[in-house]
Amino acid sequence: MSSPLAVLPTRFGTQNLSAGHTMEALRFGLTLVRHGETKYNKEGLLQGQAIDSCLSEAGLQQAEAAGRYLRDVSFSNVFASDMLRARQTAEKIMQQNSSCLALQMVCDPLLKEKSFGTAEGGRVQDFKEMARAAGESLAGFTPPGGETQEQVKERVRLFLENMLQQMGAEHWPVSGHAAAAAAAAAAPEGSPAEGEAEDGVRGMPVHALVVTHGAYMREAVRYFVEELHCSFPSSWDQSHMFSLSPNTGICRFTLRTAKEGSKFVLLGMRCVFIHRADHIKQAEQDSKARAK
């Protein structure tokens, strides 16, 4: 299947631009959040796509904590998996963020959790043993009726492509965001993350919040790094990058796009931080303090 994203590795930077040809650019933020805890998470059971569970009480508290952490971060678009646990998490975040008051959440089935086929509803431990018996890694194992890594990666690619076209059309610098968007695109990539909620996106008017699922996020990060050549600090451990994010764990990226004809293409991508969970730790400390 041919698409602008399918040939991204050859488009990064400006090395392929013809002499004398320049492109306007738009830089925007992408913040991925895993949904809050569900009863199935707590009990160590696989949910996948067949089980559309709601957040547990702890999961609601985690979502509220994520909302408090992100409350001063400006978003221009919100996307969420159409599964209940992701929608509830996105709603909790949006309720505490003034930039989201006029925004409409876009629920996209491309953001659904990975399907685990016949293993859904069963114990995660049993799934691990099935993978071990098959001689495969946990991430690479596909139970009967489940999705392969390639199938999930294709959904990630399609979502990113659709999001890129939508956000480019909505926010390309001919609108009221023109000056700020142009300044953000022209600015240097930014300093290393400092542990602040606005790391990487401070002053960036175009920024997407995407609420999805653990296994899906893991495949998304792998796709960004391995196929889109997303940059990240050399000191980072890739095994941690490709691990499962905790409930309401947050990953942030910045993307630099350009317009070619009527299409928007990705020029580069940078990971600002990965699997951040400061808000969860703070919420747990607050809960323990209240229990005393």
Side-chain angles (χ1 to χ4, degrees):
M1 184 180 296
S2 175
S3 77
L5 288 178
V7 293
L8 272 174
T10 65
R11 291 183 182 269
F12 270 57
T14 57
Q15 65 271 27
N16 287 340
L17 300 184
S18 59
H21 180 68
T22 60
M23 283 185 180
E24 289 183 282
L26 173 69
R27 184 177 293 162
F28 66 88
L30 171 62
T31 294
L32 301 181
V33 181
R34 186 188 176 192
H35 65 78
E37 182 197 80
T38 68
K39 178 183 177 183
Y40 280 78
N41 291 142
K42 184 176 182 180
E43 295 179 356
L45 302 174
L46 275 177
Q47 295 167 103
Q49 295 183 4
I51 298 171
D52 197 13
S53 52
C54 62
L55 297 183
S56 64
E57 186 58 38
L60 289 169
Q61 292 175 5
Q62 290 170 346
E64 289 176 354
R68 287 193 298 272
Y69 183 76
L70 295 170
R71 65 187 170 192
D72 295 323
V73 177
S74 180
F75 294 105
S76 59
N77 299 75
V78 178
F79 302 89
S81 159
D82 60 354
M83 304 197 77
L84 180 58
R85 55 194 183 270
R87 287 189 283 114
Q88 286 183 308
T89 302
E91 287 167 357
K92 289 291 184 183
I93 294 173
M94 293 177 73
Q95 285 168 4
Q96 301 180 74
N97 190 302
S98 60
S99 71
C100 295
L101 294 179
L103 299 182
Q104 182 174 356
M105 182 198 314
V106 176
C107 295
D108 194 330
L110 289 173
L111 292 168
K112 280 183 186 291
E113 176 60 298
K114 179 179 182 179
S115 170
F116 295 100
T118 58
E120 292 183 355
R123 298 191 311 154
V124 173
Q125 186 56 43
D126 292 341
F127 179 72
K128 291 179 179 179
E129 291 172 4
M130 291 168 66
R132 192 177 302 114
E136 297 184 31
S137 67
L138 194 62
F141 176 62
T142 304
E147 280 186 294
T148 65
Q149 282 183 296
E150 285 299 310
Q151 288 172 319
V152 179
K153 182 180 73 175
E154 177 64 7
R155 286 201 284 122
V156 172
R157 187 192 69 77
L158 285 172
F159 170 76
L160 188 61
E161 167 69 5
N162 293 343
M163 183 191 73
L164 192 67
Q165 301 312 314
Q166 178 182 332
M167 294 186 67
E170 290 180 1
H171 304 292
W172 193 250
V174 294
S175 67
H177 283 310
E189 278 293 340
S191 58
E194 299 174 349
E196 300 295 330
E198 290 186 290
D199 281 345
V201 294
R202 185 174 285 106
M204 193 174 289
V206 185
H207 181 197
L209 169 66
V210 177
V211 182
T212 182
H213 305 264
Y216 184 96
M217 278 178 64
R218 178 170 58 196
E219 295 305 326
V221 172
R222 184 179 294 275
Y223 174 65
F224 295 165
V225 171
E226 294 183 347
E227 300 203 24
L228 303 188
H229 306 297
C230 175
S231 64
F232 59 91
S234 59
S235 60
W236 285 10
D237 178 8
Q238 284 201 32
S239 64
H240 172 65
M241 291 185 70
F242 299 154
S243 65
L244 199 67
S245 197
N247 288 115
T248 66
I250 304 172
C251 302
R252 179 167 296 152
F253 305 84
T254 57
L255 291 75
R256 192 165 185 269
T257 66
K259 190 174 184 181
E260 283 191 344
S262 62
K263 284 283 189 179
F264 298 92
V265 296
L266 187 63
L267 297 179
M269 191 171 191
R270 180 176 74 96
C271 184
V272 180
F273 59 76
I274 199 86
H275 307 320
R276 185 173 287 181
D278 301 4
H279 56 287
I280 305 173
K281 297 172 187 175
Q282 185 60 52
E284 289 173 348
Q285 291 173 2
D286 293 345
S287 179
K288 289 177 181 178
R290 286 194 299 269
K292 289 183 180 179

